Amino acid sequence: MKLSVPGRATATAVVAAVSLLTGGSIAGAAPAAGPAGSAAEPALAAAPDIPVANVKAHLTQLQSIATANGGNRAHGRAGYKASLDYVKAKLDAAGYTTTIQQFTSSGRVGYNLIADWPGGDTSRVLMAGSHLDSVSSGAGINDNGSGSAAVLETALAVARAGHQPAKHLRFAWWGAEELGLVGSRYYVNNLSSANRARISGYLNFDMIGSPNPGYFVYDDDPAIEKTFKDYFTGLGVPTEIETEGDGRSDHAPFKSAGVPVGGLFTGASRTKSAAQAAKWGGTAGQAFDRCYHSSCDTTANINDTALNRNSDALAHAVWELSE
């Protein structure tokens, strides 16, 4: 999640392979499916369980990348590009059509990674995304390796299941979020109005494994919000409306462009109250993430239960909202 500071970096674009990003069709895309449960189209299966061990394995790789590249995965640094290459290789091997979008911010080159799953109605696109960059002070494993790894593992679960929903699925990993939502803003600003209108929803995942976690749901699009809340209700886990990071993550450019948005969050630098500790566990009077934007945001800075629940909620929303 980006620093809350005045002023935002601007992005100057150099775009590679933008046809997938701004065009209306995807090679191999199928026409819209009939209603779920009809004779032409059987009801879609429920989302699979997302193995938290797989998500944590991605986090281990991101930690190793940071360690080998000056301790961080920040915009314009070698660790960021190595992180992107890691994610891209996994998606390419799984059958995704991947596209790298290049931009410049603060004098350094940055990258967005977009992955399209072949099939589905490209006039109705469901997106799920996360920022892949860290701050320069640390490896950024909760902020935002957690969201990036969960989105990646959900995308891989789509491929393993051979999932073919009615809507077209697109996953994204954003660059330079920590400098002011630069990558996601650039992506949205370079979509035509017609292609913005094709995005039926954008789901954002920024910090979903905080070590002293809360369970926060964005209160933006009502249908997306209900999808997440209903999932957690089914687990017997109470939720609260997310306020700490409102407008400070990559859903904001989509929301400003009129795209329905939603997402999940487990808390950053704010302090967990006694009431929140009573319903969620953890430590009252302590930050949700004491290592926010710090060098201690490593693989030791993750709550496995929160990461597991939020990864499964992510997959549930992708399956549910892509019908």
Side-chain angles (χ1 to χ4, degrees):
M1 183 166 291
K2 79 175 182 71
L3 288 161
S4 183
V5 294
R8 284 175 174 159
T10 58
T12 314
V14 183
V15 185
V18 295
S19 59
L20 282 177
L21 303 174
T22 57
S25 63
I26 306 295
S38 70
E41 178 70 17
L44 291 172
D49 177 74
I50 301 299
V52 72
N54 292 7
V55 182
K56 291 187 70 179
H58 299 315
L59 295 181
T60 298
Q61 291 299 313
L62 294 177
Q63 177 70 64
S64 296
I65 287 168
T67 300
N69 290 280
N72 68 70
R73 302 180 302 99
H75 165 72
R77 310 292 180 87
Y80 179 77
K81 184 58 164 59
S83 299
L84 182 139
D85 291 343
Y86 169 78
V87 175
K88 184 178 186 298
K90 292 288 187 183
L91 295 163
D92 288 341
Y96 279 83
T97 300
T98 58
T99 306
I100 294 174
Q101 187 178 45
Q102 184 174 312
F103 57 87
T104 301
S105 181
S106 299
R108 293 175 181 264
V109 176
Y111 308 94
N112 294 326
L113 175 63
I114 311 298
D116 283 274
W117 181 238
D121 179 3
T122 56
S123 70
R124 299 186 299 148
V125 178
L126 179 67
M127 290 188 70
S130 57
H131 75 87
L132 187 57
D133 63 314
S134 73
V135 292
S136 60
S137 58
I141 298 303
N142 186 39
D143 184 15
N144 183 38
S146 61
S148 293
V151 172
L152 172 58
E153 191 56 31
T154 297
L156 297 179
V158 167
R160 288 193 296 267
H163 186 43
Q164 288 295 329
K167 293 179 183 176
H168 179 75
L169 290 177
R170 180 174 297 159
F171 298 91
W173 291 263
W174 309 115
E177 187 267 0
E178 298 290 4
L179 300 185
L181 320 181
V182 177
S184 56
R185 193 181 308 280
Y186 178 71
Y187 175 82
V188 172
N189 287 348
N190 282 275
L191 289 171
S192 67
S193 57
N195 283 315
R196 285 196 299 271
R198 290 184 174 101
I199 302 174
S200 66
Y202 172 73
L203 313 178
N204 194 62
F205 304 92
D206 189 354
M207 302 180 65
I208 60 169
S210 300
N212 189 30
Y215 292 89
F216 298 100
V217 176
Y218 296 8
D219 65 336
D220 293 297
D221 180 74
I224 297 174
E225 180 185 351
K226 184 177 187 299
T227 299
F228 285 126
K229 284 185 170 180
D230 287 352
Y231 181 81
F232 282 104
T233 296
L235 297 182
V237 176
T239 58
E240 290 185 9
I241 296 303
E242 199 281 293
T243 58
E244 181 179 5
D246 194 25
R248 290 172 51 194
S249 194
D250 293 298
H251 61 293
F254 287 88
K255 183 177 179 179
S256 295
V259 175
V261 301
L264 300 175
F265 177 56
T266 51
S269 58
R270 285 189 183 172
T271 299
K272 178 178 277 188
S273 70
Q276 289 169 330
K279 67 182 175 183
W280 289 326
T283 306
Q286 185 180 106
F288 293 102
D289 183 356
R290 291 187 295 175
C291 290
Y292 177 62
H293 284 181
S294 301
S295 60
C296 59
D297 188 7
T298 66
T299 49
N301 192 47
I302 291 290
N303 181 284
D304 288 0
T305 299
L307 185 68
N308 188 34
R309 287 170 171 171
N310 281 282
S311 297
D312 288 339
L314 190 170
H316 170 76
V318 166
W319 256 254
E320 185 80 12
L321 296 169
S322 63
E323 293 184 5

